[in-house]
């Protein structure tokens, strides 16, 4: 066996095999794959093989689409038939809300080029008469997907990989990883059969590899332990049952009836497909337990758990309701296997936290569907430094070091159970909450806060009167919360509001090398001492990796504020870049101070009046004036007894300050502000109103307008890019040019709905872009959105259409910052 390779892939399931294949196809000719047992002996062997294109996430939709297209080509390349049955996929809706969900999903499908059709109950009945349809509202049909044989597709990828030079070694288990500073030394043990068990032999060796990818499926916890990292990838039990042949189905097929598509009755929480004249039923039931939270026992090989029929009785009954002929047939087979999950149901794909050249591909719950695309995009990331799509939503570092086993278990069980729930865009999941709370949490809760969760933090989404039910308020249209958010947004435009922004990510970067480093690391000019700049760190491809508000505290000391959802993701990138650059720029220290600083944002024309009530200064009447405290500056001030690092910026685009304060004094400061605000009618405001307001100012948000699929130039932020200096990613950004451009649109949409930021944009019949954010504008009294369109259309006044609820609605591109374009209200003196 070769002992030095460029890339070592650990795990021979569908995912690892696809990664090895794509690394070779991408041009790496020295790739090895190690499997501790046989290829497909993990979860891959017992998967049902469904390949659903349906997915609410833009990145995952691209991944699934790639897989489906790729699998269709494999036979030609390898001569192996992967058993792809393109029978289509029919998602039925029992309720209007479910149809709304499908219509929102259809927008995502359109933006990714995934074909779909609508079907009425009568059309379904006409084509597949065994299906009961009288209680259906309709369905969405994907004609191009279906199901595949998971083992066959893996073997075809393995053959393709071998043909491209990949070495595949079975019965070798990875038992240790050691980073030498330039490569990985991977200790591997030969596994042998002993009495039906697979056990380690005495034969070990060390393989050195420049890059390692782990795709170890249910063994992710062991892998994490070997690497000294944390991952929330923990399996949950998933079962499917296979019935005896159904005479009605057999007869229908004999009469020339078309094979049923994969049927999904989401409201009943199951999928069903044909299998040799019978049916396979796969439920996503309640109470499926997590397994192997601390690792897979040695005795568990390609094994299954016992069937728990009671747990899936409800779903079984509902299958009989939907396909009445299935009542007569008995069970032939059952499968209850571990299916790996993560708290949000998305896999963990990308660089491992804190480690170099170590890539994770773990936590796949739709691993057969995702394998092809994961291999393709991860290979791009590894070989070229970036992928065509923004992989951030799959990045392993979206969970920070606060994450624990109990958390992962609770959330993974929830994610499993939620596979078929209505995926309201305003959904907030309940498990493992509250967990990370800022000190003012109880006060906010008492004031009616309806919390959302960001990176584990509880953050008020909005405030509502006592007894309000956020659950019942969720909708694909304007939910029950909408009118409360309108009032909050108005309060900031017309009076004053207080927002908790404690979840912001904060880093302190200082030392003799700090200035030169940050000048290279970010694209805008660095601020002078006491001033603030908005700036971007770029990827090697010139796209946006992180947005920072940089405050220069001293000549060589900087306070960096970035998005709250991305603390570990930002920290890892920053720390690694600093380590790389210390030899060039000199010593730099970097600390994640996120949990040391609370943040309140006070904004609105009366915000200065509220602060004036409690600010302490030799000349309190002028301390907050434009002269002493101009826009885009920072001052250390005292609010009562609380020392505050006040920053004159406002993400809402109104006169305002961010009040960064010692976390242990948060409740004191909250009480001071609330008491002072009473006289001025101050309202408590949540993140949803803030999100609407920032769109009126065309402020791009990280994770929507800003990400690794667009450069800051494409985000149309020239005023924050200093082309006179050299910075990381500059040449790539310039070479990329402008593929699409970020715009703000005012939308004449349906009376009862606003866009969510996933909708397709049209010019006549031609798709010309997509929304990335959406909401309601209180300043303009209509829906608002931000998104990307072809550069030639990115001109104020251009009239386009936006697809919402399967209809095209008028919208118009506005100038940047349609509200207060000259920033007069932000700069207001007083
Ligand atoms: C009942 C059931 C039905 C399913 N149906 C579907 C479906 O219809 N569609 C779909 O997309 N998904 C489905 N899934 C999920 C799917 O099976 C998984 O997502 C997928 O198989 C994951 O592939 P993988 O390569 O990540 O992991 P695995 O297939 O588990 O492969 C991981 C491999 O890594 C090896 N390994 C682990 N540690 C080491 C080590 N240290 N050294 C060497 N090798 C190691 C293991 O032996 C294993 O072979 C289903 C799952 C279940 C349980």
């Amino acid at each position: 066996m070769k002992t030095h390779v460029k890339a070592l892939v650990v795990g021979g399931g569908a995912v690892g095999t696809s990664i090895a294949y794509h690394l070779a196809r991408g041009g790496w000719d020295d790739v090895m794959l190690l499997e501790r047992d046989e290829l497909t002996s993990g979860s891959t062997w017992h998967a049902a093989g469904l390949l659903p294109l349906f997915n609410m996430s833009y990145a995952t939709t691209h991944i699934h689409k790639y897989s489906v297209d790729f699998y269709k080509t494999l036979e030609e390349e390898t001569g192996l038939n992967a058993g792809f049955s393109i029978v289509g996929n029919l998602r039925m809706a029992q309720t209007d809300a479910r149809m709304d969900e499908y219509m929102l999903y259809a927008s995502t499908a359109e933006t990714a080029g995934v074909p779909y059709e609508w079907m009425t109950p009568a059309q379904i009945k006409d084509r597949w008469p065994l299906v009961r349809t009288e209680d259906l509202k309709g369905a969405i049909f994907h004609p191009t997907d279906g199901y595949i044989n998971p083992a066959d597709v893996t073997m075809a990828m393995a053959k393709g990989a071998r043909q491209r030079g990949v070495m595949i070694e079975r019965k070798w288990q990875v038992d240790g990883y050691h980073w030498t500073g330039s490569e990985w030394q991977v200790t591997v043990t030969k596994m042998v059969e002993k009495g039906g068990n697979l056990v380690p032999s005495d034969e070990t060796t060390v393989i050195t590899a420049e890059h390692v990818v782990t795709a170890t499926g249910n063994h992710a916890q062991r892998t994490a332990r070997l690497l000294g990292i944390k991952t929330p990838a923990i399996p949950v039990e998933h079962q499917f049952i296979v019935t005896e042949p159904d005479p009605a189905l057999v007869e229908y097929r004999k009469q020339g009836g078309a094979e049923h598509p994969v049927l999904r009755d989401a409201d009943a929480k199951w999928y069903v497909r044909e299998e040799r004249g019978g049916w396979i039923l796969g439920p996503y039931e309640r109470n499926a337990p997590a397994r192997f939270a601390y690792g897979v026992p040695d005795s568990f090989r390609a094994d299954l758990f016992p069937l728990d029929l009671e747990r899936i009785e409800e779903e079984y009954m509902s299958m009989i309701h939907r396909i009445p002929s299935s009542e007569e047939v008995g069970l032939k087979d059952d499968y209850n296997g571990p299916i790996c999950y993560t708290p949000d149901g998305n896999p963990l794909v990308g660089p491992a936290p804190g480690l170099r050249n170590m890539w994770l591909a773990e936590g796949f719950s739709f691993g057969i569907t995702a394998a092809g695309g994961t291999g393709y995009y991860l290979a791009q990331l590894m070989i070229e430094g970036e992928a065509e799509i923004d992989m951030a939503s799959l990045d392993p570092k979206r969970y920070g070091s606060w994450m624990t086993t109990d958390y992962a278990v609770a959330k993974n069980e929830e994610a499993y159970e939620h596979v078929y729930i209505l995926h309201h865009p305003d959904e907030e999941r309940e498990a493992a909450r509250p967990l990370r709370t800022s000190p003012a949490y109880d006060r906010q809760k008492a004031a009616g806060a309806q919390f959302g969760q960001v990176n584990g933090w509880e953050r008020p989404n909005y405030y509502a009167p006592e007894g309000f039910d956020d659950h019942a308020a969720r909708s694909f249209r304007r939910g029950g919360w909408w009118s409360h958010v309108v009032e909050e947004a108005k309060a900031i435009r017309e009076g004053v509001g207080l927002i908790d922004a404690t979840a912001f990510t904060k880093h302190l970067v200082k030392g003799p090398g700090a200035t030169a480093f940050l000048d290279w690391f970010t694209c805008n000019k660095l601020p002078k001492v006491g001033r603030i700049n908005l700036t971007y760190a770029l990827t090697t491809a010139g796209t946006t990796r992180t947005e920072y508000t940089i405050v220069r505290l001293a000549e060589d000391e900087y306070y960096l504020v970035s998005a709250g959802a991305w603390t570990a993701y930002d920290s890892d990138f920053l720390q690694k870049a600093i380590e790389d650059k210390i030899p060039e720029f000199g010593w730099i220290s970097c600390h994640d101070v996120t949990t040391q600083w609370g943040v309140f944002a006070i904004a609105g024309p009366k915000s200065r009046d509220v602060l004036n009530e409690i600010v302490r200064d030799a000349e309190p009447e002028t301390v907050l004036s434009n002269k002493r405290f101009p826009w885009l500056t920072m001052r250390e001030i005292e609010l009562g007894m609380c020392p505050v690092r006040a920053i004159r910026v406002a993400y809402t685009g109104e006169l305002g300050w961010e009040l960064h304060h010692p976390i242990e004094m948060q409740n004191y400061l909250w009480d001071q502000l609330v008491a002072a605000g009473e006289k001025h009618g101050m309202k408590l405001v949540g993140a949803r109103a803030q999100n609407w307001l920032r769109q009126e100012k065309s402020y791009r948000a990280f994770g929507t307008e800003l990400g690794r699929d667009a450069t800051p130039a494409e985000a149309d932020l020239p005023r924050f890019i200093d082309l006179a200096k050299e910075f990381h990613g500059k040449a790539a950004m310039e070479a990329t040019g402008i593929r699409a451009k970020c715009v703000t649109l005012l939308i004449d949409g349906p009376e009862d709905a606003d866009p969510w930021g996933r909708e397709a944009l049209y010019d006549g019949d031609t798709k010309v872009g997509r929304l990335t954010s959406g909401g309601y504008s209180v300043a303009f009294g209509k829906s608002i959105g931000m998104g990307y369109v072809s550069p030639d259309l990115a001109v104020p006044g251009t009239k386009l259409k936006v697809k919402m609820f399967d209809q095209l609605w008028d919208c118009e591109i506005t100038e940047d910052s349609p509200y207060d374009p000259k920033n007069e209200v932000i700069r207001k003196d007083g």
Side-chain angles (χ1 to χ4, degrees):
M1 187 164 66
K2 208 168 169 200
T3 54
H4 194 289
V5 292
K6 179 150 181 90
L8 180 69
V9 180
V10 186
V15 174
T17 310
S18 168
I19 293 166
Y21 169 94
H22 283 95
L23 285 173
R25 205 176 85 175
W28 281 8
D29 53 10
D30 198 10
V31 178
M32 180 187 276
L33 182 147
L34 292 185
E35 163 55 48
R36 68 188 290 277
D37 199 344
E38 295 293 342
L39 295 182
T40 77
S41 62
S43 275
T44 296
W45 80 267
H46 51 56
L50 313 180
L51 301 175
L53 281 169
F54 183 94
N55 199 285
M56 302 301 271
S57 135
Y58 186 68
T60 314
T61 299
H62 276 276
I63 287 175
H64 289 190
K65 180 171 187 304
Y66 175 89
S67 299
V68 167
D69 294 342
F70 165 62
Y71 295 159
K72 288 174 184 164
T73 67
L74 266 177
E75 186 170 356
E76 199 183 322
E77 180 179 343
T78 64
L80 293 183
N81 182 335
F84 196 165
S85 301
I86 306 168
V87 294
N89 161 3
L90 186 77
R91 280 181 187 259
M92 299 171 278
Q94 293 187 28
T95 63
D96 290 330
R98 185 66 75 176
M99 283 305 282
D100 279 357
E101 180 190 36
Y102 292 165
M103 285 192 268
L104 177 61
Y105 158 70
S107 306
T108 310
E110 277 184 36
T111 58
V114 170
Y116 66 87
E117 296 162 19
W118 296 110
M119 291 187 82
T120 63
Q123 287 168 322
I124 299 169
K125 191 81 198 165
D126 204 34
R127 269 171 87 172
W128 299 292
L130 298 183
V131 179
R132 186 195 295 254
T133 57
E134 62 266 22
D135 57 349
L136 294 180
K137 298 283 178 187
I140 186 169
F141 179 59
H142 285 292
T144 54
D145 73 23
Y147 61 91
I148 203 161
N149 185 317
D152 291 350
V153 74
T154 308
M155 289 308 176
M157 288 191 287
K159 183 167 179 199
R162 283 197 188 94
Q163 284 172 349
R164 293 170 185 275
V166 174
M167 296 155 278
I168 298 183
E169 301 287 346
R170 289 163 301 138
K171 298 274 180 339
W172 283 97
Q173 172 170 281
V174 171
D175 284 331
Y177 298 95
H178 172 68
W179 175 246
T180 64
S182 58
E183 57 192 6
W184 285 98
Q185 289 179 339
V186 182
T187 307
V188 301
T189 308
K190 184 78 190 165
M191 303 297 282
V192 290
E193 302 279 348
K194 209 173 194 176
N197 286 330
L198 188 68
V199 293
S201 70
D202 294 337
E203 188 185 349
T204 63
T205 186
V206 172
I207 298 174
T208 48
E210 276 175 52
H211 292 264
V212 174
V213 188
T214 76
T216 57
N218 301 316
H219 297 257
Q221 289 304 315
R222 179 175 188 267
T223 301
R225 259 198 316 281
L226 294 176
L227 291 171
I229 60 170
K230 283 182 170 186
T231 150
I234 293 176
V236 175
E237 280 188 23
H238 177 47
Q239 4 186 29
F240 66 82
I241 53 176
V242 189
T243 72
E244 297 282 2
D246 175 350
L249 173 60
V250 173
E251 182 56 27
Y252 157 81
R253 294 296 301 278
K254 218 191 296 169
Q255 299 299 325
E259 178 169 350
H260 287 79
V262 177
L263 300 168
R264 286 188 168 81
D265 192 339
D267 300 296
K269 292 187 156 194
W270 54 248
Y271 59 78
V272 163
R273 73 164 169 88
E274 288 187 26
E275 172 73 5
R276 295 171 202 274
W279 307 100
I280 284 184
L281 164 72
Y284 281 88
E285 74 279 19
R286 270 190 295 273
N287 300 325
R291 289 293 198 132
F292 310 147
Y294 295 95
V296 184
D298 287 343
S299 57
F300 193 94
R301 223 169 146 187
D303 294 313
L304 291 169
F305 309 114
L307 174 73
D308 187 344
L309 203 51
E310 218 171 284
R311 209 168 68 214
I312 59 172
E313 194 182 336
E314 206 179 303
E315 289 77 17
Y316 197 178
M317 289 299 130
S318 72
M319 173 180 82
I320 291 170
H321 168 80
R322 184 68 53 219
I323 306 171
S325 61
S326 67
E327 185 170 9
E328 301 304 322
V329 295
L331 284 190
K332 188 170 81 175
D333 223 339
D334 59 81
Y335 294 79
N336 183 7
I339 184 166
C340 218
Y341 258 86
T342 64
D344 61 8
N346 272 338
L348 306 161
V349 184
L355 305 175
R356 304 284 180 154
N357 293 7
M358 177 59 69
W359 308 85
L360 304 185
E362 305 285 2
F364 284 84
S365 55
F366 285 91
I368 310 305
T369 322
T374 300
Y376 177 66
Y377 291 113
L378 182 60
Q380 283 185 346
L381 205 55
M382 292 172 64
I383 297 170
E384 291 158 34
E386 267 307 318
E388 284 159 38
I389 57 167
D390 184 350
M391 301 281 279
S393 58
L394 309 178
D395 196 280
K397 296 175 296 297
R398 64 190 189 274
Y399 300 99
S401 55
W402 52 268
M403 189 269 305
T404 57
T405 313
D406 270 9
Y407 173 85
V409 164
K411 293 303 271 187
N412 292 6
E413 288 176 352
E414 178 188 58
Y416 175 88
E417 190 180 322
H418 276 52
V419 165
Y420 281 138
I421 65 146
L422 275 171
H423 292 287
H424 285 121
D426 52 0
E427 175 195 15
E428 291 292 344
R429 297 191 178 182
E430 306 305 329
R433 297 179 59 191
L435 183 62
R436 304 183 80 198
T437 55
S438 56
Y441 171 82
D442 289 333
R443 283 163 163 77
Q444 291 161 357
K445 195 168 176 167
Q450 305 293 320
F451 291 93
Q453 208 193 29
V454 53
N455 199 11
W457 285 100
E458 295 294 328
R459 183 180 67 173
N461 276 335
Y462 61 99
Y463 291 78
E466 213 180 317
F468 185 85
D469 180 359
D470 177 66
H471 242 278
R474 293 172 195 170
S475 173
F476 293 89
R477 297 169 187 251
R478 289 175 180 165
W481 48 267
W482 188 86
S483 54
H484 299 296
V485 175
V486 168
E487 291 312 311
E488 290 175 18
K490 280 188 181 159
I492 288 198
R493 286 282 175 257
E494 293 159 14
V496 53
L498 183 66
I499 299 171
D500 183 354
T502 297
F504 271 154
T505 297
K506 304 140 208 138
H507 283 91
L508 191 65
V509 176
K510 62 178 182 177
T515 299
F517 167 76
L518 287 173
D519 199 37
W520 165 83
F521 186 62
T522 61
C523 66
N524 197 356
K525 281 190 190 66
L526 288 180
K528 296 197 172 73
V529 175
R531 295 197 62 89
I532 296 156
N533 262 356
L534 194 66
T535 186
Y536 303 91
L538 272 53
T539 64
T540 46
T543 56
T544 306
R545 180 57 172 68
T546 302
E547 179 185 54
Y548 289 111
T549 301
I550 293 196
V551 185
R552 191 167 191 167
L553 300 174
E555 206 48 51
D556 279 334
E557 186 173 346
Y558 299 84
Y559 182 63
L560 274 54
V561 183
S562 55
W566 299 96
T567 307
Y569 177 80
D570 287 353
S571 211
D572 192 68
F573 187 66
L574 179 63
Q575 302 270 10
K576 283 176 179 165
I578 286 176
E579 273 169 33
D580 287 344
K581 287 288 172 180
I582 282 178
E584 188 178 336
F585 295 130
W587 177 247
I588 304 157
S589 82
C590 175
H591 293 283
D592 172 3
V593 293
T594 301
T595 53
Q596 293 171 29
W597 291 89
V599 185
F600 296 142
I602 186 166
K606 294 185 191 162
S607 55
R608 187 183 270 122
D609 302 338
V610 174
L611 293 182
N612 273 336
E613 304 267 344
I614 51 173
V615 71
R616 301 289 178 261
D617 190 80
E619 292 174 46
E621 55 292 341
T622 61
V623 65
L624 300 173
S625 65
N626 277 6
K627 186 147 181 263
R628 291 184 62 199
F629 202 154
W631 186 43
L632 296 179
T633 62
M634 181 282 298
R635 274 188 84 97
E636 305 281 355
I637 60 171
E638 293 181 359
L639 294 178
M641 289 189 288
C642 186
V644 172
R645 178 178 290 168
I647 298 175
R648 190 162 165 197
V649 289
Y651 196 43
T652 49
E654 208 61 51
L655 174 73
W657 283 262
E658 273 179 17
L659 307 170
H660 294 241
H661 53 271
I663 195 89
E664 70 277 16
M665 297 172 100
Q666 178 164 85
N667 278 341
Y668 168 80
L669 181 61
W670 178 266
D671 292 342
Q672 293 287 309
L673 287 165
V674 168
E678 210 166 309
K679 192 166 126 193
H680 302 277
M682 185 175 77
K683 208 166 166 52
L684 301 180
V685 172
R688 288 196 183 149
Q690 191 179 29
N691 182 43
W692 289 356
L693 292 168
R694 61 105 190 157
Q695 292 178 59
E696 294 177 348
K697 289 294 294 171
S698 301
Y699 291 160
R700 284 76 169 152
F702 189 77
T704 54
E705 289 71 58
L706 301 172
R708 281 153 55 190
D709 49 4
T711 67
E714 290 172 316
D716 201 16
L717 296 163
R719 63 194 179 284
F720 303 113
I721 308 169
D722 177 14
L723 287 174
K725 72 171 193 179
E726 289 311 312
F727 54 86
H728 177 60
K730 179 181 169 189
M733 180 188 83
E734 289 182 318
T736 300
I738 308 292
R739 298 163 295 184
K741 209 166 189 180
C742 186
V743 293
T744 305
L745 302 109
L746 285 171
I747 296 161
D748 291 307
E751 267 182 15
D752 62 345
D754 301 307
W756 293 99
R758 302 175 187 174
E759 294 78 1
L761 291 167
Y762 283 84
D763 183 12
D765 290 337
T766 315
K767 199 179 69 196
V768 292
R770 67 181 179 116
L771 289 186
T772 44
S773 293
Y776 179 74
S777 163
V778 289
F780 296 97
K782 56 168 77 172
S783 294
I784 191 165
M786 295 179 72
Y788 279 84
V789 296
S790 333
D792 53 313
L793 294 171
V795 182
T798 303
K799 291 189 174 17
L800 299 176
K801 303 266 185 194
V802 57
K803 186 100 171 248
M804 291 170 66
F805 300 103
D806 205 34
Q807 283 181 45
L808 291 173
W809 302 85
D810 290 334
C811 59
E812 183 171 333
I813 295 177
T814 68
E815 61 180 323
D816 217 45
S817 184
Y819 175 76
D820 187 26
K822 297 205 170 97
N823 290 329
E824 280 161 4
V825 303
I826 300 183
R827 291 185 222 236
K828 200 170 144 240
D829 203 359

